[in-house]
Amino acid sequence: MSAPAINPFVWADYFETGFDDVDGQHHKLVDFINALAGRAISGVPIRPDELSHSLDGLARYAVHHFATEEALMERAGLDPRHIGAHRKAHADFVTQVEAMRGTADPMGALPGLYNFVTSWLSFHILDTDQSMARQLRAVAAGASPAQAFVADQAQSRDPGSTALIAAVRSLLGLVAERNKELQNINASLEARVAERTAALTAANRDLLAAQRRLHEADRLAVVGQLAAGVAHEINNPLGFITANLRTLHQYARRLLALTEEAGRLAEAGGQGGAWKALRGAADLDYVAADLPGLLEESTGGLQRVGDIVQVLQGLASPGPLEFAPVPMAQLLDGVVAATADSRQPGQVLERDYGTLPVLEVNAALLSSALEALLHNAAQALGSGPGRIILRAREHGGELVIEVEDNGCGMDEATCARVFEPFFTTRPVGQGRGLGLSSAYRFVASHGGRIVVRSRLGRGTCFRVTLPLERPR
């Protein structure tokens, strides 16, 4: 069973003017008002096209209704003073309706439109239209238009009508005030919801960042355990291979010296031709020239393996760190000087920091981390010109250090893996993929964090955040 219709505005006899066309059109305005009220009570938002349609209908009604009333007044020849004031009221109505078309909030305009039309119906019919009706009847009874106007102005108003108008005016004023209060409450609620939403968004973002850091820490822990085993297994054979290679280097020098001495003895004993033949068959000249280089390359390769093992051991167990007060501006200046050779001609490094605090840090590890970031920035610039910015500032109880370049940049997939041990985008043999992973670990050992943002083809920025007070 459907709910009964609600008609907040009920027609009463005292609204009648006695002119059928006018009263019939007033009835249509009442129907329009009740339709607006029903839509407002339903809570269903009004669409912009629906509001526009309602205003179009109200405008068409006004044109027809006002033409009817003005024709009546003109035919009866009512006093121009009344006709002028009546027409001005009609014009004001049209202006108000057109002004409502510019609203940015159709649903918010609905109560305002309802209040406006209700107020118009009450005040205009009970006052201006009733005055018109009285003057029309007076003129029809033989009074002149001027006499009818003056008499109507001098006539005391019906106390019931006067009281009703005052009551409706008060009621509509109260409704408007309550609507304004509701609008203010809604605006306050919207602001609080927006504030709470922003806080939840920020908290969620911080939670996701913490989860990523925990995931990264877990991953590094697994890598550390693996590194410990690998370093232990490699270290022993690496030691005796290195020792044997040094001995082999000595043996090679002795054997090469011996062959030279054998050649001189063969020449002295008249066997120079035979010796040259044997030397040529063994390609001894090539061996003598190539052997030292091979030994040097092998020694260098073992040294590289040794460096990797040392890093692996650091990943597995960095051991206790020693901290000491260090002026951070001085440390940054040292990092810039230490990495100068990695920057090509035309690559400019800009410093954007002034007086910085003194922090308790492990200068060697923190410098190593920042040097890795500057090396990485220089490599991102390639061999061409470019710019690197090293900036630092205090912010919210932390020291924020940024290394930004305008180089090749990275895509999201690369950014997600950039701190993984042994991950590198450089060609095989040109990078071990340990610089940034070590930097991440060194910064973490200071209670800090490091993040990266980058756009492919636009550049990269690494941000290091260190607490001003070292966690104990």
Side-chain angles (χ1 to χ4, degrees):
M1 184 175 180
S2 61
I6 299 175
N7 295 322
F9 202 105
V10 180
W11 184 266
D13 291 342
Y14 46 74
F15 286 112
E16 299 283 352
T17 65
F19 294 88
D20 292 340
D21 286 346
V22 174
D23 291 337
Q25 291 164 14
H26 286 166
H27 273 285
K28 292 181 180 179
L29 188 59
V30 168
D31 293 339
F32 178 80
I33 289 173
N34 288 330
L36 285 178
R39 185 56 180 270
I41 293 171
S42 72
V44 178
I46 187 169
R47 300 191 308 270
D49 61 313
E50 291 180 306
L51 178 62
S52 178
H53 179 72
S54 297
L55 293 174
D56 288 341
L58 191 58
R60 288 193 298 271
Y61 163 82
V63 169
H64 177 64
H65 176 58
F66 296 160
T68 299
E69 289 189 345
E70 291 172 16
L72 276 175
M73 291 186 290
E74 291 290 345
R75 284 197 301 269
L78 291 190
D79 191 284
R81 287 171 289 183
H82 176 81
I83 294 177
H86 207 139
R87 280 178 171 163
K88 183 179 185 304
H90 290 170
D92 289 343
F93 180 92
V94 174
T95 300
Q96 291 290 335
V97 170
E98 291 303 315
M100 293 183 188
R101 294 185 184 276
T103 180
D105 178 16
M107 192 58 192
L110 188 58
L113 177 59
Y114 173 76
N115 290 339
F116 166 68
V117 180
T118 304
S119 177
W120 167 270
L121 183 64
S122 301
F123 303 149
H124 189 71
I125 293 178
L126 290 175
D127 188 11
T128 307
D129 282 358
Q130 292 294 344
S131 174
M132 175 191 72
R134 285 192 296 270
Q135 291 180 61
L136 287 173
R137 284 192 291 270
V139 169
S144 70
Q147 290 172 336
F149 177 76
V150 172
D152 188 71
Q153 293 296 306
Q155 176 182 325
S156 59
R157 294 290 185 263
D158 176 26
S161 296
T162 303
L164 177 61
I165 291 175
V168 171
R169 187 183 301 275
S170 175
L171 176 62
L172 291 175
L174 181 61
V175 169
E177 182 180 345
R178 293 295 179 266
N179 282 338
K180 185 175 181 180
E181 290 177 1
L182 287 174
Q183 290 174 355
N184 291 337
I185 291 172
N186 286 336
S188 175
L189 286 174
E190 288 175 0
R192 290 169 62 187
V193 168
E195 181 181 350
R196 183 59 176 162
T197 300
L200 288 174
T201 300
N204 188 53
R205 186 167 55 248
D206 292 342
L207 178 60
L208 291 176
Q211 288 175 337
R212 284 195 296 270
R213 289 195 295 270
L214 286 174
H215 177 69
E216 188 69 29
D218 290 342
R219 184 166 55 182
L220 288 176
V222 172
V223 171
Q225 292 175 355
L226 176 63
V230 172
H232 177 73
E233 294 299 326
I234 292 178
N235 234 0
N236 290 334
L238 182 64
F240 65 73
I241 291 174
T242 302
N244 290 347
L245 193 59
R246 284 197 296 267
T247 302
L248 183 59
H249 203 172
Q250 295 173 1
Y251 291 170
R253 286 199 300 269
R254 293 178 188 176
L255 288 173
L256 290 176
L258 183 60
T259 58
E260 292 299 323
E261 183 63 25
R264 287 194 293 272
L265 292 175
E267 289 288 343
Q271 299 295 321
W275 172 251
K276 288 181 181 179
L278 290 172
R279 188 183 183 102
D283 206 3
L284 188 59
D285 291 338
Y286 176 79
V287 171
D290 194 42
L291 185 58
L294 291 176
L295 291 172
E296 290 295 335
E297 288 179 4
S298 299
T299 301
L302 285 176
Q303 181 61 48
R304 182 181 175 86
V305 173
D307 292 343
I308 294 175
V309 169
Q310 186 175 3
V311 173
L312 288 174
Q313 289 174 326
L315 286 173
S317 177
L321 299 180
E322 294 184 2
F323 291 83
V326 176
M328 294 310 297
Q330 178 181 319
L331 184 142
L332 293 180
D333 289 340
V335 168
V336 171
T339 57
D341 291 342
S342 66
R343 293 183 286 277
Q344 302 295 321
Q347 296 179 355
V348 179
L349 187 142
E350 298 178 7
R351 307 183 207 199
D352 182 12
Y353 54 86
T355 302
L356 296 177
V358 174
L359 298 187
E360 283 193 35
V361 299
N362 183 294
L365 291 187
L366 188 56
S367 295
S368 178
L370 296 175
E371 287 173 14
L373 298 183
L374 287 178
H375 280 304
N376 191 80
Q379 290 160 3
L381 297 179
S383 58
R387 184 180 66 171
I388 301 171
I389 303 175
L390 175 61
R391 63 173 68 91
R393 64 188 182 279
E394 289 187 50
H395 179 71
E398 296 177 318
L399 177 65
V400 179
I401 303 171
E402 290 183 337
V403 176
E404 184 174 1
D405 66 74
N406 62 346
C408 59
M410 298 178 287
D411 57 25
E412 290 185 8
T414 303
C415 286
R417 301 189 59 193
V418 74
F419 296 115
E420 292 181 6
F422 302 107
F423 175 78
T424 180
T425 58
R426 286 187 285 166
V428 176
Q430 295 187 21
R432 294 175 293 174
L434 292 171
L436 293 179
S437 63
S438 296
Y440 186 97
R441 182 170 54 86
F442 295 158
V443 170
S445 68
H446 285 74
R449 57 191 184 277
I450 178 171
V451 295
V452 60
R453 67 176 187 272
S454 184
R455 290 183 62 184
L456 199 60
R458 300 289 295 276
T460 300
C461 180
F462 284 92
R463 172 179 286 188
V464 174
T465 306
L466 300 169
L468 296 181
E469 296 292 335
R470 182 170 66 87
R472 301 296 178 176

